[in-house]
Amino acid sequence: MKQKYFIDIHKGLTPVFILLLINYFNAWNNIAAILYLALHGTYDALWVTKSCIYPDKQWEIKVPLWYGIGIWLMLSIYWISPYIIMSGNHFLKFNVSFINDTVYLGLLVIMYILGIFLHFTSDMQKYIYLKHNPGNLIIQEMFSYSRNPNYLGELFIYLGFTLIAKDFLPIIGLLIIIIFVWIPNIIRKDKSLSRYEDFKDYR
């Protein structure tokens, strides 16, 4: 089974999981809960749409079932944040009394939108560029500023809705994913790109 199917199904079910949490904890009047659903839900919908329209090659490889289950367990770390928001049960709560709650949520929405722009437009650029210029290094437009604008975008996206929980545990979970998934992927990508003569100068 392709790696992307495990990822896409999990992301597709995440808004359903969030809705079930909202309903279970009767959090329909909790603005943070509804905002979280709106942000994480739209991100998941956009991810699955992107996977259908302009898929990433690295997720197209076939993986065994145990690996897919591992992907599900890793992605389920992101479910800690909505649980905290809907239930009100904190583990490592932090205080943001230095800023108005409404302003705080507004700043997180801004962070999320910037992340959406960076992530999805850079992935689109990569897909279109490689489709028309296979076997070439991408050093133009968004990739002229960063080797990993998509990962930078994902960082903003996940911080945007993870920080709504005001708890360090989801942030620790995000750090675990960054260390064990994102960074190895970035290193692997750099090793692959090192075959191009101009990669050293680009890097």
Side-chain angles (χ1 to χ4, degrees):
M1 191 169 175
K2 287 184 179 180
Q3 190 171 352
K4 77 172 190 177
Y5 295 142
F6 292 103
I7 299 170
D8 293 355
I9 292 168
H10 191 283
K11 289 187 181 290
L13 289 175
T14 291
V16 177
F17 175 74
I18 297 168
L19 277 168
L20 290 172
L21 282 177
I22 292 173
N23 191 61
Y24 181 79
F25 291 107
N26 194 24
W28 296 105
N29 292 319
N30 181 341
I31 185 64
I34 302 304
L35 180 63
Y36 187 91
L37 171 64
L39 298 183
H40 203 156
T42 53
Y43 166 68
D44 289 328
L46 288 170
W47 177 283
V48 174
T49 304
K50 174 181 81 83
S51 181
C52 295
I53 298 172
Y54 53 105
D56 194 315
K57 277 187 177 180
Q58 71 169 327
W59 309 128
E60 294 292 317
I61 59 170
K62 289 187 176 181
V63 294
L65 180 61
W66 66 265
Y67 191 91
I69 293 170
I71 291 171
W72 264 66
L73 291 174
M74 188 66 75
L75 289 174
S76 295
I77 290 173
Y78 293 130
W79 288 358
I80 298 170
S81 196
Y83 169 78
I84 292 169
I85 295 166
M86 306 338 162
S87 68
N89 299 324
H90 284 270
F91 299 93
L92 300 167
K93 187 174 183 178
F94 61 79
N95 198 329
V96 289
S97 57
F98 59 90
I99 190 171
N100 177 285
D101 262 2
T102 308
V103 174
Y104 177 73
L105 291 177
L107 290 172
L108 296 182
V109 172
I110 291 169
M111 186 185 298
Y112 168 82
I113 292 170
L114 289 173
I116 289 290
F117 171 78
L118 286 169
H119 177 66
F120 287 98
T121 55
S122 61
D123 270 5
M124 171 62 84
Q125 180 192 339
K126 181 175 73 172
Y127 177 81
I128 295 297
Y129 183 89
L130 292 177
K131 187 175 182 179
H132 295 285
N133 303 278
N136 286 288
L137 185 65
I138 310 171
I139 59 174
Q140 297 85 7
E141 284 80 42
M142 298 191 75
F143 289 86
S144 66
Y145 299 101
S146 168
R147 296 205 307 279
N148 299 285
N150 47 352
Y151 278 110
L152 179 60
E154 280 207 279
L155 178 63
F156 286 164
I157 289 167
Y158 280 106
L159 281 176
F161 52 64
T162 296
L163 289 173
I164 296 173
K166 298 179 184 176
D167 196 290
F168 284 112
L169 188 60
I171 297 170
I172 293 168
L174 178 58
L175 279 173
I176 288 169
I177 291 172
I178 289 170
I179 292 167
F180 291 102
V181 180
W182 294 8
I183 291 175
N185 281 346
I186 289 169
I187 292 170
R188 199 158 36 243
K189 189 184 84 169
D190 272 5
K191 283 182 179 177
S192 175
L193 296 179
S194 65
R195 69 184 186 273
Y196 296 105
E197 285 184 16
D198 47 352
F199 177 70
K200 189 176 180 181
D201 291 335
Y202 169 61
R203 183 181 60 184

